Amino acid sequence: MSGNHSLPKQNAPRGIFLLSLAMLLIPVVDTIAKYLSAELSPLYLSWARYFAASLFIVPIAMRKFGRNIFPRRNIKSHFTRTFFIISAMLCFFISISTTPLATTVAVTMIAPIVATVFAVIVLKEKLTWVKTIALILGLSGALIIINPRVEMENGVIFAALAGLFYGLYMVTTRMTAQASDPIKTLCFQCVVGMVFLIPFAVLNWSMPTTDQLLLLLFMGIVSITAHGMTILAFQYAQASVLSPFIYLEIVSAAILGYFVFADVPGIAFWIGTTIIVIAGLLISFTREKST
């Protein structure tokens, strides 16, 4: 890394504040997407989200780096990670178009459990008894929410796929040893994601109204803001300190889902979510102690 790029000093309270705010903001993006999905295709919305985000992140990257706005090393890894995060977002947006927002968010929280499984298979990480218990708990919590004894909705299936792809994204991110500037990484992800999703947008094209266009732009601003705060939070504080606050996203999604869409999560949602949170925290704390 260049000498003029220094990390912030450790400041746990600031990191917790930034991550908490980011987790409360992310469901705002999802709420807008769910609202717009009543008239616009989720596939079109996926492209529009990256397009709107690119409108804001590219000028920021160009101001800081000139024309060198993308990472120059480990390009293959960046493409792989971007493919997985795009796939996760596509599945997520398809899910929320038919499924309560809080349910989709909760099911996608299986991502850390998925990442642990693939880290054992691909990265040859040791499968400890604590991780095994966490994996069983996480799967149990997801099954409680999904409730396979009744006819499963496609939206819930796509939520599980979103968690799968995001878990793969986490593993491929961990496989990349070379650190990359977060602005360049985010710029690459947004621009490449936008280009990759163009065929989906063309096949599902809708001319947005003025109100819809403003919502799409606002979605891009909030998305970039939340992502930036998340990056800063993990620079200010360790993962073990921040991990419990990641699950504020479920709370925010449940609140917004209730007030905007009148979605009321049932008891199975809260029981399953609690179990998934416990499993995720077990995995997070175990990994932090082993590093």
Side-chain angles (χ1 to χ4, degrees):
M1 282 187 293
S2 59
N4 58 0
H5 179 62
S6 58
L7 295 177
K9 293 182 179 179
Q10 290 288 294
N11 187 327
R14 184 173 297 179
I16 290 171
F17 172 77
L18 286 170
L19 187 72
S20 298
L21 189 55
M23 292 303 104
L24 294 174
L25 279 176
I26 287 174
V28 173
V29 176
D30 303 332
T31 300
I32 294 173
K34 182 174 177 64
Y35 174 79
L36 291 174
S37 67
E39 298 181 359
L40 301 174
S41 166
L43 301 177
Y44 171 82
L45 287 173
S46 298
W47 170 83
R49 177 179 180 178
Y50 272 123
F51 176 76
S54 297
L55 289 178
F56 297 102
I57 191 61
V58 170
I60 293 173
M62 291 184 68
R63 183 175 181 179
K64 185 174 182 180
F65 302 107
R67 291 182 295 178
N68 300 318
I69 60 175
F70 297 142
R72 292 194 170 187
R73 287 189 281 185
N74 297 313
I75 298 299
K76 185 177 180 180
S77 296
H78 283 286
F79 270 112
T80 303
R81 289 171 5 185
T82 299
F83 170 78
F84 284 136
I85 195 65
I86 290 171
S87 300
M89 186 189 64
L90 279 172
C91 292
F92 186 90
F93 276 15
I94 292 172
S95 175
I96 61 174
S97 66
T98 59
T99 305
L101 180 60
T103 300
T104 297
V105 171
V107 173
T108 56
M109 288 293 169
I110 64 172
I113 291 94
V114 171
T116 299
V117 172
F118 280 94
V120 171
I121 297 172
V122 178
L123 303 182
K124 308 302 180 183
E125 290 188 2
K126 185 179 179 182
L127 183 62
T128 65
W129 66 271
V130 176
K131 289 182 180 179
T132 302
I133 292 175
L135 292 174
I136 296 173
L137 283 175
L139 179 61
S140 301
L143 288 176
I144 289 173
I145 298 173
I146 295 172
N147 191 9
R149 291 177 298 176
V150 300
E151 185 178 354
M152 293 206 316
E153 300 177 359
N154 288 336
V156 176
I157 296 174
F158 275 105
L161 287 173
L164 170 65
F165 281 120
Y166 193 75
L168 291 171
Y169 168 79
M170 294 170 68
V171 173
T172 52
T173 298
R174 205 181 309 161
M175 289 172 64
T176 307
Q178 176 66 38
S180 175
D181 184 274
I183 294 179
K184 288 187 176 184
T185 299
L186 181 56
C187 191
F188 182 94
Q189 179 177 311
C190 290
V191 174
V192 172
M194 175 190 66
V195 173
F196 179 82
L197 291 168
I198 286 177
F200 295 94
V202 171
L203 292 174
N204 298 274
W205 185 262
S206 298
M207 184 58 66
T209 64
T210 302
D211 290 342
Q212 290 172 340
L213 183 60
L214 290 174
L215 284 174
L216 289 171
L217 291 174
F218 182 65
M219 185 168 66
I221 294 174
V222 176
S223 180
I224 290 296
T225 302
H227 193 95
M229 288 191 295
T230 301
I231 292 171
L232 281 176
F234 279 94
Q235 291 181 347
Y236 279 119
Q238 295 179 347
S240 61
V241 175
L242 297 175
S243 291
F245 299 92
I246 291 175
Y247 296 98
L248 283 173
E249 184 179 348
I250 300 177
V251 177
S252 179
I255 293 172
L256 287 170
Y258 174 76
F259 283 104
V260 179
F261 305 108
D263 292 332
V264 181
I267 187 65
F269 165 83
W270 292 113
I271 294 174
T273 297
T274 301
I275 294 173
I276 290 174
V277 170
I278 293 172
L281 293 178
L282 276 174
I283 288 174
S284 177
F285 290 139
T286 302
R287 179 171 294 117
E288 187 70 27
K289 289 180 180 180
S290 63
T291 56

